[in-house]
Amino acid sequence: MAISQKVVDRLLAESLLDSTKEPAFLRALLDAMLYAHTPKNDSPNRTLRFLQFVTPDGITALPVFTDRGKAEFASKGHARVVSVLGRQLLEATRGATLAINPNDRWCMLYPEEISELLSTGSAAVIFSEHIPDDTAIATALPANPPHWLIETLQGIFAAHPSVERAYLVEMRSSQRMDVSRLVVAVAMPTLIAERVCRAAVTEVQLKHPNPDCIVDLTRIDPTADLPPWLAHLSPEPIYRREWAQALRGHPPGTSGVI
C-alpha cells in the first residue's frame, strides 16, 4: 500500500528544516506514489521516456513530484503526467539526478544516494556548515591519516572525472579548539561539488557508521592557488585526477594502488 501524499509532504517539510529527518523522507519515497513528465505525444503502450530539465545551476535533472496537481501545473500542458510507485520510478531512472518538487523548496537526489537507497534502504545524514570568515582556524597535517578513509574517498573521486585533486588536513577552529576534525579539501568545479560531497558522505557514513573521527568536505577552486589555511602546510594530495584509471581497477579496500 502506497504511503499517503500527506505523510510524504510532511516528511519532506521536516527534512528541509532538519537534515536528520532526511533519511525518513527518502525511505518514504520508495513506497509513495510519485509523478513525472513524459513526452505528450508518446504512445501509452511504449516504454516510458521521462523528461528532464536544466536547473539554474546547470545540472540536468529529472523533475519528480509528490502531488499530481503540482506535476500538472509544472507541465503547462506541454507534457503528459504519469504516476509511478517510488521504487519503480527510482529503478527506471537509475543514473539520473532527481529534483523533488522543483517549483517549491526543492531538494536534489543524486545517483549515488538513489543506488544506496534502493540497495539497502539507507540514506546518510548530511549537514552543511558555513564557517564565518572571521573564525580563526588552525590546521596541521594528520599524524595518522586513516587509510580506510583515503581509500574510500579515492574510489568516489575516481568516478568523477572533474575532480582534480584532494587534500586531507586536520583542523581546529576558535569556536571549538577542543575538537579536532579531518577536512578533505576537494579541487573541483562548483557544478559537481554537491553531488561529489553527498556521494562521499553517503559512502563514508554508511560503510563506516562509527568512525573514530569527524570528517568534513569542502570545495576549493581547481584553477586557483591553494587557500592560505592549506597552502602553508605544503600538503601532498591524497588524490589526483591522473590516478583515476588505476583506482577504478582497484576497488576501495585494496592496497598498492598508488
Side-chain angles (χ1 to χ4, degrees):
M1 182 177 178
I3 293 178
S4 71
Q5 175 196 325
K6 183 176 180 180
V7 171
V8 172
D9 287 345
R10 174 178 59 79
L11 291 172
L12 173 57
E14 290 175 353
S15 71
L16 290 171
L17 295 174
D18 180 357
S19 60
T20 64
K21 304 293 182 64
E22 193 171 286
F25 163 66
L26 296 179
R27 284 192 292 269
L29 286 182
L30 296 176
D31 297 313
M33 191 60 67
L34 302 178
Y35 305 88
H37 295 152
T38 67
K40 190 172 184 179
N41 296 324
D42 274 7
S43 167
N45 297 322
R46 68 166 293 164
T47 301
L48 283 178
R49 296 189 302 159
F50 295 101
L51 297 179
Q52 300 185 88
F53 74 111
V54 179
T55 72
D57 295 326
I59 298 171
T60 299
L62 193 156
V64 173
F65 303 85
T66 59
D67 174 85
R68 176 178 283 277
K70 292 178 181 179
E72 296 281 4
F73 177 82
S75 76
K76 294 181 171 59
H78 300 303
R80 185 163 63 96
V81 174
V82 295
S83 58
V84 187
L85 191 66
R87 184 179 296 275
Q88 296 173 349
L89 179 61
L90 268 59
E91 287 281 9
T93 58
R94 272 185 184 261
T97 295
L98 306 188
I100 311 298
N101 292 339
N103 288 346
D104 297 334
R105 187 182 171 190
W106 50 312
C107 66
M108 302 288 280
L109 190 55
Y110 293 95
E112 296 81 5
E113 298 172 289
I114 293 170
S115 179
E116 188 67 41
L117 189 63
L118 289 170
S119 299
T120 68
S122 300
V125 176
I126 298 175
F127 298 93
S128 178
E129 180 182 12
H130 173 70
I131 299 178
D133 293 337
D134 59 354
T135 302
I137 60 173
T139 55
L141 296 177
N144 297 295
H147 295 297
W148 66 263
L149 175 63
I150 293 174
E151 291 173 350
T152 299
L153 293 174
Q154 285 177 338
I156 294 294
F157 299 152
H160 296 275
S162 296
V163 175
E164 296 282 349
R165 301 175 307 282
Y167 304 89
L168 181 65
V169 299
E170 188 176 315
M171 185 190 81
R172 285 182 170 83
S173 72
S174 56
Q175 297 173 329
R176 292 292 307 274
M177 289 300 291
D178 59 321
V179 176
S180 172
R181 59 179 63 184
L182 293 175
V183 176
V184 184
V186 188
M188 58 183 166
T190 304
L191 181 64
I192 66 164
E194 183 181 27
R195 176 176 175 178
V196 170
C197 286
R198 292 185 73 94
V201 172
T202 296
E203 184 75 13
V204 169
Q205 195 174 109
L206 297 178
K207 299 299 187 295
H208 304 275
N210 296 300
D212 55 359
C213 58
I214 300 172
V215 182
D216 292 332
L217 282 89
T218 187
R219 187 194 83 90
I220 57 176
D221 188 343
T223 65
D225 294 335
L226 293 180
W229 60 268
L230 188 58
H232 80 95
L233 298 173
S234 300
E236 288 294 322
I238 62 168
Y239 174 80
R240 289 185 185 275
R241 186 172 61 176
E242 306 90 89
W243 301 349
Q245 185 173 357
L247 286 164
R248 283 195 289 267
H250 294 75
T254 62
S255 59
V257 175
I258 300 300

